[in-house]
Amino acid sequence: MIFFNEITWWYWAVTDVLLWIGLGIHPNAFYAAATLSFIQLIHFALRERSMTAFPVQVRLAYAAIFLLALWPPLRWLFWWPAVGTLALVLFGYCFLARCLSLLPWNRRQPLSWRLVRRTFLAKPVKGNILHCLLYTSDAADDLTRV
């Protein structure tokens, strides 16, 4: 799931390196990571031409976590995006996107334990998790695309 030729992967990879530097070596790296996150947010908002597009929602939520974590008493929150972004960069699994896909405006099915299980256990996909969930049959419990 490593896509060296895609700018999205590079945004996430560089952001994650900055997060780990901030956690382990130099806390000022958090500011660079936050700046890069906002650049990515603006880039995708312009590309999608909508603040409600799913890729923009993911980046907006990610940037909001950064804003919270920049407040010194909440610095421990940087562990969440550091670990989550590492999973995204290495395996293509985005926990944040899966959580956002369950919000009422992002789903067509009623919220159920089956949908939640399918959402979090689905294999990583190229693109976004919404596409996988929209094209996965509820009757087929094997978590594959139809």
Side-chain angles (χ1 to χ4, degrees), residues 68-140:
L68 286 173
L70 284 172
W71 187 43
L74 296 180
R75 286 279 163 100
W76 61 271
L77 283 176
F78 278 119
W79 282 98
W80 286 4
V83 171
T85 307
L86 185 62
L88 175 64
V89 168
L90 294 180
F91 307 111
Y93 186 94
C94 184
F95 183 78
L96 179 60
R98 291 163 190 263
C99 290
L100 292 174
S101 75
L102 294 172
L103 294 174
W105 55 85
N106 288 328
R107 61 182 159 80
R108 293 186 182 155
Q109 310 94 324
L111 187 61
S112 66
W113 285 112
R114 187 175 190 174
L115 176 63
V116 171
R117 188 181 82 227
R118 194 167 40 114
T119 299
F120 290 105
L121 296 180
K123 294 177 186 175
V125 296
K126 186 172 172 31
N128 70 53
I129 190 64
L130 278 186
H131 294 137
C132 176
L133 295 175
L134 287 175
Y135 298 114
T136 303
S137 168
D138 255 343

Side-chain angles (χ1 to χ4, degrees), residues 48-79:
E48 299 291 329
R49 296 184 183 150
S50 170
M51 288 300 287
T52 60
F54 191 71
V56 178
Q57 289 181 46
V58 171
R59 285 150 181 88
L60 185 60
Y62 193 80
I65 292 168
F66 271 60
L67 282 179
L68 286 173
L70 284 172
W71 187 43
L74 296 180
R75 286 279 163 100
W76 61 271
L77 283 176
F78 278 119
W79 282 98

